[in-house]
Amino acid sequence: SYEAFLDCIVKLSNTYQRNYYLLKTKKSYDFIKSRSNKKINDLLDIIRKQKNIVYMNDFNISSYDTIGLSDLTISGPESSALFESFYAGKKTICYDPFFQYKNSDSIENHIPNCKASTYREIKKLHDYWLNNINQSEFMDYLKEYVDGHFGMTCGKGKSISRLKNFLYNDCKL
């Protein structure tokens, strides 16, 4: 799944060479390289050399800040980045290349136009969110499909502080 995700990022960066892509990994580059197969290592090397991909770990920037800098977030299923991105009011795509979570109760299975399982679907959603939907239409989308999952309006300033409060006060383990 991680290999397919990295491959997707490389393909997007090659297809849309005028766009910048930010990659933030949970683990360090060295950690991933030391525990991954050759294909993943090769993809990471390609990513580090791509002119339009910025490996955010090199700048010690948090995932929250990376999401804040982005126009669009692409993440794996059930990732905290999905919740953080939606809550911050960002256009978000979940990439589940092997349909591992297609029947789960995950948030991405309940929100339209946010889940892809092939590169073709990712590309279609990428184009949809970046080229076809203006900010007003996106705010309407958030109200209709996303806000209800958080019990409040997403993307209305101080989102990260509100997310932390929401998780602390309203989520039970």
Side-chain angles (χ1 to χ4, degrees):
S1 178
Y2 195 58
E3 182 179 317
F5 176 79
L6 294 176
D7 188 54
C8 173
I9 298 302
V10 169
K11 286 179 180 176
L12 285 171
S13 75
N14 286 329
T15 302
Y16 303 97
Q17 294 182 10
R18 300 187 110 188
N19 290 355
Y20 278 94
Y21 294 89
L22 309 179
L23 177 65
K24 172 71 176 156
T25 58
K26 290 192 187 274
K27 302 290 184 184
S28 72
Y29 176 77
D30 292 333
F31 181 90
I32 296 168
K33 291 278 289 185
S34 70
R35 290 167 174 79
S36 297
N37 64 40
K38 182 178 178 352
K39 180 66 175 165
I40 288 174
N41 287 336
D42 289 347
L43 287 166
L44 282 172
D45 290 339
I46 291 167
I47 285 168
R48 296 289 296 266
K49 293 175 186 171
Q50 290 286 93
K51 291 182 182 197
N52 63 337
I53 299 178
V54 179
Y55 186 62
M56 298 305 284
N57 296 53
D58 289 341
F59 300 98
N60 199 24
I61 293 177
S62 74
S63 60
Y64 298 125
D65 290 332
T66 302
I67 290 168
L69 291 168
S70 302
D71 295 320
L72 171 71
T73 299
I74 302 173
S75 189
E78 297 191 349
S79 168
S80 61
L82 291 175
F83 291 91
E84 294 157 3
S85 181
F86 278 130
Y87 201 82
K90 292 293 186 167
K91 297 170 181 176
T92 306
I93 299 172
C94 172
Y95 186 43
D96 184 10
F98 301 113
F99 289 112
Q100 292 172 289
Y101 297 89
K102 73 176 182 176
N103 295 319
S104 77
D105 200 29
S106 299
I107 191 170
E108 66 270 10
N109 289 326
H110 302 284
I111 299 174
N113 296 318
C114 82
K115 188 154 186 185
S117 60
T118 66
Y119 175 71
R120 175 194 254 162
E121 291 172 358
I122 281 278
K123 188 175 176 300
K124 181 179 177 183
L125 288 174
H126 175 281
D127 292 347
Y128 174 77
W129 288 120
L130 294 181
N131 302 322
N132 300 338
I133 299 297
N134 66 37
Q135 191 60 26
S136 175
E137 292 168 323
F138 181 64
M139 294 310 289
D140 290 343
Y141 169 88
L142 286 176
K143 284 180 201 167
E144 184 171 352
Y145 299 110
V146 179
D147 288 355
H149 293 280
F150 292 96
M152 59 185 65
T153 303
C154 295
K156 293 289 187 187
K158 298 191 179 187
S159 295
I160 298 305
S161 298
R162 288 189 356 218
L163 175 59
K164 287 179 183 176
N165 284 335
F166 173 75
L167 293 173
Y168 180 76
N169 294 318
D170 297 325
C171 292
K172 307 291 183 234
L173 297 177

